[in-house]
Amino acid sequence: MNVILMGAPGAGKGTHAADLSKKYGIPHISTGDILREEVKKGTELGKLAKSYMDAGKLLPDDVIIKIIQKRLEEPDCKRGYIFDGFPRTINQAKMLDEISNIEAAIYLKCDDDILIKRLSGRRMTKDGRIYNIYFDPPPEGVEVYQRDDDNEETIKERLKVFYDTFGPLIDFYKQKGVLYEIRGDEQREVVFSNIVNILDRLNK
Ligand code: AMP
């Protein structure tokens, strides 16, 4: 099962991709997570990535495409995968089309005021648990940190980049007949079960 979760930053792609990965036993591939790992390790790729990420801009397609080609060669991808944050440009989608058969591109639609609260309020623990100071505050004593790009200025730029690029991507998957559009701003359990309904119907 090869699936893409699409949507603006803060739409819940990462949260649902992680839950789907557990449910279906296939990897969750987040280009953002891969890049953040490289930044943490201080590699050349990480140094390059940080300059784009801190500015809320997209990395060049060729860099991202190389990362994905390498990742899809890993044995855990044999039974399928869930993409989160990839593809983000039409070139990335076309390249993916050459090496993968996407069965569902699920677009999680959200209003901007929710997206901004989710991003500006997002806090993480070192082991990856995500809280939100507005909706799901971390318990007292739990140490949390904020992503470098979850600040007001970068959030604005990330949303702008999303709205500038998502139209052709949506059209691309619509034309292929694999686009599914659902609300991403309903309760987490509701969104998850809507996604599962789509995927289970595909796999019947
Ligand atoms: P995310 O965690 O998906 O919000 O991504 C964080 C940042 O990583 C983005 O703002 C971009 O700078 C970079 N990034 C992640 N995925 C991609 C991609 N597919 N293409 C280009 N840049 C990306």
Side-chain angles (χ1 to χ4, degrees):
M1 181 163 61
N2 304 333
V3 181
I4 300 172
L5 292 190
M6 295 170 71
K13 303 183 297 292
T15 302
H16 295 298
D19 290 349
L20 292 167
S21 167
K22 261 190 221 139
K23 178 173 170 66
Y24 293 106
I26 54 177
H28 162 199
I29 303 179
S30 154
T31 38
D33 285 350
I34 294 172
L35 294 171
R36 276 184 289 278
E37 204 44 48
E38 295 291 327
V39 172
K40 226 197 274 169
K41 287 193 276 185
T43 63
E44 283 308 307
L45 171 58
K47 283 179 204 152
L48 173 83
K50 188 163 170 46
S51 59
Y52 287 92
M53 293 168 92
D54 284 351
K57 305 272 188 207
L58 296 181
L59 271 82
D61 286 335
D62 58 332
V63 175
I64 298 292
I65 286 165
K66 261 190 225 141
I67 292 174
I68 291 293
Q69 279 170 333
K70 196 165 148 228
R71 182 65 187 86
L72 293 189
E73 281 167 13
E74 301 283 325
D76 64 337
C77 290
K78 284 222 164 65
R79 289 182 46 244
Y81 32 81
I82 303 151
F83 284 124
D84 149 21
F86 173 85
R88 262 188 161 91
T89 65
I90 194 72
N91 276 340
Q92 292 179 16
K94 285 184 180 159
M95 163 270 156
L96 179 64
D97 201 41
E98 285 169 22
I99 57 170
S100 173
N101 173 33
I102 295 299
E103 288 146 274
I106 301 175
Y107 174 34
L108 304 176
K109 219 173 169 176
C110 276
D111 291 338
D112 274 6
D113 50 341
I114 297 272
L115 294 173
I116 290 167
K117 271 198 154 171
R118 282 189 181 168
L119 294 169
S120 60
R122 179 158 62 184
R123 300 289 185 276
M124 263 100 66
T125 63
K126 286 253 168 340
D127 53 11
R129 168 79 163 85
I130 299 172
Y131 292 98
N132 187 291
I133 57 169
Y134 303 114
F135 310 120
D136 177 20
E140 216 164 298
V142 170
E143 200 188 325
V144 289
Y145 71 97
Q146 190 172 20
R147 252 171 70 165
D148 287 344
D149 57 352
D150 278 346
N151 64 74
E152 200 180 328
E153 202 184 322
T154 313
I155 289 170
K156 268 195 208 141
E157 181 60 25
R158 288 159 66 202
L159 288 176
K160 181 181 177 302
V161 167
F162 173 74
Y163 288 118
D164 286 348
T165 50
F166 89 115
L169 271 180
I170 296 277
D171 290 345
F172 183 83
Y173 290 109
K174 201 184 266 174
Q175 269 173 20
K176 290 193 161 294
V178 297
L179 183 74
Y180 299 85
E181 218 174 280
I182 60 172
R183 295 293 323 172
D185 40 17
E186 291 183 88
Q187 271 193 336
R188 177 173 175 169
E189 297 74 24
V190 175
V191 180
F192 186 68
S193 91
N194 288 338
I195 300 174
V196 166
N197 281 343
I198 294 168
L199 298 183
D200 285 351
R201 254 185 284 140
L202 283 180
N203 279 295
K204 266 199 185 135

